[in-house]
Amino acid sequence: MMRIPVILFSILLVLIGACKEVPILSKEATEKTLMYQEQFRPQYHFSPPEKWMNDPNGLLYNQGVYHLFYQFYPEDIVWGPMHWGHATSTDMLHWENKPIALYPDKHGLIFSGSAVLDENNTSGLGTAKNPPLVAIFTYHDMDKEKAGSIDFQTQGVAYSLDNGESFTMYEGNPVLLNSEFKDFRDPKVFWDKKTGQWVMALVAGDHLRLYRSDNLLEWTYMSRFGATQGAHGGVWECPDLFELQVEGIDESKWVLLISINPGAPNGGSGTQYFVGDYDGTTFISDQEEIKWLDWGTDNYAGVTNNNTPDNQRLFIGWMSNWNYARETPTEAWRSAMTLPRILSLSKINDTYELFNYPIPEVDSLLLEETTMRFAIPAGGHESIGLENGNQSEILFTTAARDLKVTFKNEQGQQLILEMDGTEKLCTLDRSQSGLTDFQETFAGSQQMPLNNLPGGEVEFRIFLDASSIEVFINKGQYTMTAQIFPTASYSDLEIGNTGTTPSQIQDFAVKEVAGIW
Ligand code: FRU
């Protein structure tokens, strides 16, 4: 038997004792969970190691590390007292699970919010040499809510001096009170270079409110937007406000993301956007049309990273919908995030369109490739066998607009994506895609109007990952994200031509996507 020298053994004991025990997984977490091998477990999307997750929070890049915080309830697989879970990555694809970042305290539960690097230590919470990461979030006081008072949502601050490894709650919390609005939440804070101030975008029921600050701790109201604009089928949540250069022209615009629940075009939760201008105080938009970032049922509460290199707008959304988020058929964990996507703005037929498309790093996960090019006669179809269909990317370009893409498995389940060129409509039908009866609104088909899609060759890109499908048309001009629960992998892909002329499918490729865990 190998013997450890006594001195070394004692050193080991001291070291073990000194290690702060910060559990990431509970004791019951099975080995299967650790391997991310359960049925429906996404292989290349972020999902929490276990238990309940909703919105992405505090997306921030600092010192080569992307931080993803998220709404987390570590005790159950349904929503409960909210914490901020935490994971980090150097490429936004491979994630390392970190200990819980924020716990509820005497001011309430920790709802959604954002994080910034306070580079000049304006808050005084760090030092000039070691500037703090500052998280700004909503406190939700359950007791006050139950007692019927209106001021139960306030904003709080926490800071980290070790690049997000641990956080301290600011003693002066809460930093922004409220006596007017029942819903008063989800602060997105950013540094406005032009005016040299911190700006907080916050939602209050049916509108956005902007506040300013010099130090992240004292906030002054500036302006409001939106009570009479955009979709209002439900309460406004999770705002994000940022500037984007318009592709190909010398113009920049400001984009406002607003999640609403309910009131999305296909039911329940969805994210609308406004394109407009911001002058350092007020956001305005003359946009009349209601615009959606994603037409699928499962992309909610998404926001973008602060502090990215080149100020890129890197977006992550929660791949679920409040209509059925608590009932989806998983046991160890609930829900996943979308693929990280890059946002860009284009002007097409005189209107601004926000594109969202997987970040280029996703290409590094693509493995096996089958490429082909074929023509499908009117009314005909082409069948392609899929090796690992539920972990794949399908990509092709075509000028055809009447297409039916069907994924089938040996259990008779099928997922259908259909394009109708005359109606300018794309439909995703998941009614027979797998398990659907866990909640009554889940089955059925979802629609996406393609009114502004240019003619000619257009790229179609589809990602399947165990329990999700993400569809990107024309590099993300039109996007649909939806959860699915097939009980066997889709092994057959059928592309049908539903038009009256032959369709040419160019550069058709199926690739397996490597797992990230
Ligand atoms: C959005 C949301 C936020 C809130 C959080 C609570 O999904 O309702 O408005 O801060 O979830 O978990």
Side-chain angles (χ1 to χ4, degrees):
M1 194 177 93
M2 200 178 83
R3 304 187 98 203
I4 305 176
V6 176
I7 179 89
L8 217 119
F9 188 66
S10 335
I11 292 174
L12 255 175
L13 275 184
V14 171
L15 277 178
I16 291 167
C19 281
K20 210 168 110 202
E21 211 188 302
V22 266
I24 295 173
L25 287 169
S26 70
K27 286 208 187 81
E28 320 88 71
T30 60
E31 226 164 75
K32 248 188 164 182
T33 297
L34 288 168
M35 302 295 292
Y36 285 80
Q37 288 302 314
E38 309 93 331
Q39 189 184 26
F40 306 129
R41 178 70 100 160
Q43 295 302 302
Y44 61 95
H45 286 77
F46 179 81
S47 60
E50 59 167 356
K51 310 298 183 196
W52 169 271
M53 172 180 83
N54 55 292
D55 315 357
N57 295 148
L59 299 182
L60 174 72
Y61 178 79
N62 187 38
Q63 295 175 14
V65 176
Y66 290 95
H67 292 272
L68 165 62
F69 300 92
Y70 53 89
Q71 288 286 279
F72 186 47
Y73 182 41
E75 306 283 326
D76 206 341
I77 55 160
V78 289
W79 191 92
M82 283 290 113
H83 299 55
W84 273 26
H86 187 201
T88 57
S89 172
T90 52
D91 59 4
M92 283 186 90
L93 295 173
H94 299 86
W95 295 97
E96 187 184 331
N97 288 308
K98 294 284 185 179
I100 291 172
L102 301 177
Y103 289 80
D105 67 15
K106 63 177 186 225
H107 301 295
L109 316 179
I110 315 295
F111 274 20
S112 287
S114 51
V116 295
L117 168 68
D118 182 13
E119 210 167 348
N120 297 321
N121 192 31
T122 60
S123 61
L125 296 171
T127 59
K129 257 196 173 159
N130 187 19
L133 288 194
V134 179
I136 308 100
F137 52 86
T138 297
Y139 271 126
H140 182 102
D141 187 329
M142 280 291 205
D143 295 336
K144 274 194 176 171
E145 184 186 15
K146 276 189 200 136
S149 84
I150 202 167
D151 56 352
F152 54 86
Q153 294 194 334
T154 58
Q155 316 314 315
V157 157
Y159 59 98
S160 169
L161 300 176
D162 52 11
N163 197 14
E165 291 295 312
S166 62
F167 279 85
T168 307
M169 286 295 185
Y170 171 55
E171 277 188 4
N173 276 340
V175 296
L176 181 58
L177 297 162
N178 148 55
S179 57
E180 262 179 278
F181 309 103
K182 185 167 75 62
D183 298 292
F184 187 69
R185 61 176 175 267
D186 306 342
K188 173 69 189 236
V189 174
F190 64 93
W191 175 252
D192 183 0
K193 263 196 293 200
K194 278 188 205 138
T195 52
Q197 62 185 356
W198 295 105
V199 175
M200 179 197 289
L202 190 76
V203 279
D206 65 353
H207 67 278
L208 168 88
R209 300 172 75 76
L210 296 179
Y211 293 80
R212 64 164 304 281
S213 173
D214 292 322
N215 58 10
L216 292 166
L217 304 174
E218 291 146 316
W219 293 93
T220 310
Y221 170 77
M222 292 200 294
S223 63
R224 52 187 281 164
F225 168 82
T228 56
Q229 270 177 276
H232 284 279
V235 71
W236 281 24
E237 298 186 318
C238 302
D240 197 354
L241 180 63
F242 47 85
E243 192 174 15
L244 276 181
Q245 200 64 38
V246 185
E247 295 290 312
I249 51 176
D250 186 19
E251 188 185 14
S252 72
K253 297 296 277 182
W254 283 75
V255 176
L256 171 67
L257 303 184
I258 294 284
S259 284
I260 73 167
N261 177 62
N266 285 293
S269 322
T271 302
Q272 61 175 326
Y273 68 90
F274 298 88
V275 180
D277 297 294
Y278 168 68
D279 63 1
T281 310
T282 311
F283 174 78
I284 50 164
S285 167
D286 57 10
Q287 180 182 305
E288 282 168 12
E289 196 188 339
I290 293 171
K291 296 195 168 231
W292 301 98
L293 176 117
D294 191 313
W295 288 82
T297 43
D298 297 280
N299 182 355
Y300 193 60
V303 284
T304 63
N305 266 282
N306 271 332
N307 207 35
T308 45
D310 308 325
N311 205 18
Q312 285 190 322
R313 283 296 141 192
L314 306 177
F315 168 99
I316 290 181
W318 174 45
M319 231 171 2
S320 199
N321 188 310
W322 283 112
N323 268 356
Y324 44 72
R326 304 166 188 87
E327 284 127 308
T328 53
T330 60
E331 282 164 15
W333 89 103
R334 272 247 168 80
S335 82
M337 295 300 181
T338 64
L339 276 177
R341 304 175 184 182
I342 182 155
L343 302 186
S344 62
L345 200 59
S346 286
K347 206 170 183 179
I348 302 179
N349 297 333
D350 262 352
T351 69
Y352 297 99
E353 302 259 307
L354 185 66
F355 283 49
N356 68 107
Y357 193 67
I359 57 169
E361 288 75 7
V362 169
D363 291 359
S364 69
L365 298 178
L366 304 176
L367 301 171
E368 298 297 306
E369 181 167 355
T370 328
T371 319
M372 42 193 143
R373 168 176 297 226
F374 47 85
I376 315 171
H381 70 259
E382 183 82 26
S383 277
I384 296 131
L386 298 174
E387 281 271 310
N388 193 1
N390 288 12
Q391 201 179 319
S392 64
E393 182 226 36
I394 290 104
L395 182 99
F396 57 90
T397 52
T398 185
R401 293 293 184 272
D402 293 297
L403 286 176
K404 186 173 177 183
V405 179
T406 312
F407 295 93
K408 297 177 177 180
N409 66 17
E410 69 209 8
Q411 307 207 345
Q413 297 166 343
Q414 53 178 14
L415 173 66
I416 307 167
L417 181 71
E418 207 163 356
M419 230 88 50
D420 181 329
T422 318
E423 297 291 326
K424 295 193 170 182
L425 202 63
C426 175
T427 307
L428 180 70
D429 180 355
R430 63 177 174 186
S431 59
Q432 296 167 61
S433 59
L435 302 186
T436 59
D437 63 0
F438 50 87
Q439 203 270 347
E440 65 206 4
T441 65
F442 183 82
S445 62
Q446 2 194 315
Q447 297 193 320
M448 166 164 71
L450 304 172
N451 296 333
N452 216 9
L453 188 66
E457 296 278 328
V458 157
E459 183 198 87
F460 289 83
R461 195 174 188 196
I462 301 168
F463 285 91
L464 287 171
D465 187 7
S467 45
S468 66
I469 176 168
E470 288 164 288
V471 180
F472 301 94
I473 303 178
N474 194 25
K475 299 265 182 190
Q477 181 188 359
Y478 290 100
T479 305
M480 265 185 144
T481 303
Q483 289 187 86
I484 43 169
F485 297 95
T487 51
S489 197
Y490 295 126
S491 48
D492 188 30
L493 165 59
E494 208 177 89
I495 303 198
N497 176 356
T498 50
T500 50
T501 51
S503 0
Q504 299 290 338
I505 307 288
Q506 314 285 2
D507 305 326
F508 179 93
V510 180
K511 295 178 191 172
E512 187 174 340
V513 185
I516 56 169
W517 301 108

